[in-house]
Amino acid sequence: MSFENMKQIQQVNVHERSCMMLYQFSKEETRQIMNVARMTGIKDFIELKPSYGQCTLREILDQKQEEGEETKVREKTLILNHIAPARMNMFIDGLKKCRLRRPIIAVVTEQSIEWKLENLLVNLVNERAAVRSGEFNRHEGE
């Protein structure tokens, strides 16, 4: 697994679309997150559906996703793509003020852009559990 402090992450441009993908948030939570994001200059949003589970992140970013079998992962997740580190940090700091239960937050990487959404979500859930328990394992896809 690869763990990096979000405040120390370097911007890697693996896809030109600068956006945030939201998964499993209520309408009210989505509204709050979008308001914080807009205040920090993030204006493009993709609401991910469980039925996008078999689509790659690249397909989703290119708006070529097709609905199919639903993923069973239900963790609230934010996936950021091509967002400047300073803007990302401002967004995360602003999000903390909303008092939402902390979602999983990830950044699209050179590797993850080719992963199916379901695969990514499973690995993110496993990473979160590993961090909480102090155990670190390799990604299933590696």
Side-chain angles (χ1 to χ4, degrees), residues 35-48:
N35 285 339
V36 172
R38 285 185 189 110
M39 288 189 298
T40 57
I42 302 169
K43 295 177 175 60
D44 188 7
F45 307 95
I46 301 171
E47 289 191 61
L48 300 171

Side-chain angles (χ1 to χ4, degrees), residues 25-35 98 100:
F25 292 96
S26 69
K27 289 187 187 299
E28 178 60 24
E29 291 168 328
T30 298
R31 186 186 62 73
Q32 286 181 301
I33 291 167
M34 288 180 167
N35 285 339
C98 288
L100 294 175

Side-chain angles (χ1 to χ4, degrees), residues 53-82:
Q54 297 308 305
C55 300
T56 66
L57 292 184
R58 184 179 303 280
E59 291 169 335
I60 294 167
L61 289 166
D62 288 338
Q63 297 177 311
K64 295 180 180 176
Q65 71 270 17
E66 294 182 13
E67 294 193 38
E69 186 178 330
E70 288 196 6
T71 179
K72 295 182 180 18
V73 179
R74 296 293 185 243
E75 290 284 331
K76 294 177 185 199
T77 306
L78 294 172
I79 305 169
L80 305 168
N81 184 68
H82 192 53

